Amino acid sequence: MLKLLRRSVQRSATADGHGDEIHVMPMGHYYKVLGALCFLTVVTVGVSELGLPMPYSVIVALAVAVVKAGLVVTIFMHLAFDKRIHTLVFLAGCVWMCIFFTLTLVDLFSRDMINKEAGHFYKFDEQMAVYEETGDPKDAPPGWTIKNPDAAAHGGHGDAGHEAAPAADGHAAPAEDASGH
Amino acid sequence: MTTELQNPPVTADGFENEPSYINARKGLMSWIVTVDHKRIGLLYLFSTLFFFAIAGFSAVAFRLELFTPAPDLFTGDTYNKLFTLHGGMMVFLVIIPLTPAALGNFLLPLMLGAKDVAFPKLNLASYYIYCAGALCLISAVVLGGFDTGWTFYTPYSSSVGGPVTWALMGAFILGFSSIFTGLNFVVTIHKMRAPGLSFWKMPLMIWALYATSITQLLATPVLAITLLLVTLERVLGIGIFDPAMGGDPVLMQHFFWFYSHPAVYIMILPAFGIISELVAVHSRKRIFGYGAIALSSVSIAVVGFLVWGHHMFVSGQSELSGAVFSFLTFFIAVPTAIKIFSWVGTMYGGSVRLNAPMLYTLSFLFLFTIGGLTGLPLATMATDVHLHDTYFVVAHFHYVMASGAVISFLGALHHWWPKMFGTMYDEGSAKIGAWLVFLGFNLTFFPQFMMGSSGMPRRYHEYKPEFELMHQLSTIGSLLLAAGLIWTAIYLTKALFWGPKAPHNPWGGVTLEWQTSTPPIEHNFHETPVCTTGPYDFPEIDESLGGGHH
Amino acid sequence: MGTHAPAGQPEWVQHYMHSAEQQHDAAKFGMWLFIAQELLFFSGLFMAYIVFRTFYPETWLEGADQLNKWLGGLNTLVLIFSSFTMAVGVRCAQLRDIPGLKRNIAITIACAFIFLVVKYFEYTHKFHLGIFPGKYYAYEGATGLMPIFFAIYYSITGLHAIHIIAGIVALFWVYWRAVKGQYDTGNYISVENVGIYWHLVDLIWIFLFPLLYLVK
């Protein structure tokens, strides 16, 4: 892998833009990558069977996925031997995705930073737990009683919530009172 | 489209015996399946101008309603549908495709010294995708209209009845037209420049189209997925944006504005490119700060992706992210101001000719500066909380978008008219049109700043009597603006069919599009030109180009 | 002014291009730009995934229990193998080995169909249990927020499956062109581009698999 990286950097440093579109990948590379990808798939399923605690299971799974993706992109998609601008384009796509994720998550994670009540969304299941205890419709999460009128009538969500969801055409009801926004 | 021009176009030396791209192939079919970028540009031009007229008339309709405080002409529901139609059509069918697809298609290969774009068939496909999207959007209107606002906020748009899904699918399809055009342009700019035409010798119009195309490519897919998810929410009740199922409606706004803020840069960056061209040619002076303008186009495109939350200060996003977005938004002002400064710097010491394109350029500089400066109280979260959803915002974006995109487009249309059609318009009529548009525009939108800061909310069909005077001024202005635009349409149509033949290079431009016949032959150039000078290196004596100013 | 290839260039070079190299480069560059935009197209769904998994972790654990990781793993291996045969197919096109190209494209198409068949079984199993998307959700064996997990699941795997179907169409087109002998002259860029697209589809699944199936 490192050899490939070094070679691709050397190549693009000297030949300005004359890509290696006639570069024919040796079959050996393809076999090795196929083997590695299958192996990593087995690894990732195996690791999930171990049942690591939460942050680590995602981190390991994503790390394996990134390595697999790297192999596909550099060898199968030829990026290691291709013009540098193609790599730039691909990375730009990834960076723009990260911009989208980062700034949106800044919002989502800080909803209740200043004002606890503003975190309605964040506390949905906590709110549901409170509602189940008290049975008081005013404690229900916003819109819940409209979506599940039967459940609201019974004062708890239980199984009635599921039958009510497809049966009650709940989403027609809240529409009419919205402002002309 | 089979009309023969009555006066055959004058061509430059060496092109006399060749028909222009307009006459090269005959018949309706030759236009319908054309892969010539110039013809595709014209197809876009006529389509977008058609929708511009419809959306414009809907605006006049609701402005008439707003002449009096009471709701006398339309019901609230109809009013909502009218402004939604105006916004949706203007954003998706007019301004996004207008300069990039209509003008850009025509000019890009010519300015690069290429014979066509990189993927001409994809170009034609983009146009037909545009038509398909337009049909869906029109179906939504014909089936009763939709009143969600062009912004389609959930939960209203995901739950209200009516043909909203048609509108969502229409915008979704239009997105792909935009993406493919952007893709085509980026590849053309990278791969098909004439020998000697390095990135740093490209006309600034190309830099602007480059920045626009990158933005189109990266932003529009997110709009596509947003509209798809809202559609799924309508059709299947998916619930990602529905609080009752654990979703978050503000999340939809994040998705939507991640596209729609860069979208406004898609609308304005080509306008900046136009102004760079016009100001240099009509001041007959090399552009001031070429590198600064080029890099500022790209930096506006990039920074434009970081600021979308300034549309959501009062929507329920967190205060922290409001502060972050507000801070980031201020950065956009810097490259934009650099451009304005550079354009004014270009005019200083130049030989300014006050012809119609220059009048439009001056209008742009004045109006866009107002629009840009009024963006600052909107970027500042503390003041935006009071101004959000008032007429102040409406006036701000019309000053930047309508004056930006539309007025610069009119300037460009006049500037490149001889090149595109081989005829000349009547300069006197053009000056009158420019003044009517300028005065009408200001009369329409300046009172809206005052109304907005006094609290007049937007998207309301009735209002308190204290706003009546401002509304009346605004309505009269809109009629004046409409008159100016109709006047422009009339004399330009006259010029199209009965105008005198145009000189080869009336303005003495030195960019590559002026080095070929007027109008261009089908394949643009006989041989690929070799570029030896910069795009604004005007020779000392301008008679050698057979032009002089009109 | 004809629309012939420029002098000295193969006949498949367009008149507005100078050389075969320029045409090939332009096509490939365009394909990578398309890939970048596809990444952003899927990014919306990944964003929704991140948001809802962070705030509803228990729902995610329950939801993943409904998914069969062995079938998912099988699909992953199938797609990886199809990526391999696709890459080998491109190599065959480069070497003008048309029978090899046809063979590999055929295997790639077969793998794609296997993927879809496995997906079909997965979906019908869920429908059997009443796990439909959105408002048709009728499964009683889990907590109230489960519909959100399946909203994301169906949206993202559904969109991915649509891309697989589009890929199959493109692969059939490449196969047909190979049969017609259109790759004999060395203009194999369409094979390469369809290959890049196919690898992207594989790439997305490489991320989908652990994110949806291996939630533990």
Side-chain angles (χ1 to χ4, degrees), chain A residues 96 107 110-111 147 171 181, chain B residues 148 159 242 254 305 318 389:
Chain A
W96 255 247
D107 173 30
S110 61
R111 284 277 172 88
K147 271 231 125 100
H171 45 259
H181 210 286
Chain B
T148 56
S159 53
D242 184 353
H254 277 293
F305 276 94
S318 72
D389 267 346

Side-chain angles (χ1 to χ4, degrees), chain A residues 15-32:
Chain A
D16 171 47
H18 182 82
D20 262 336
E21 67 271 10
I22 50 166
H23 173 269
V24 180
M25 191 78 73
M27 275 308 289
H29 283 108
Y30 287 148
Y31 285 125
K32 287 192 201 122

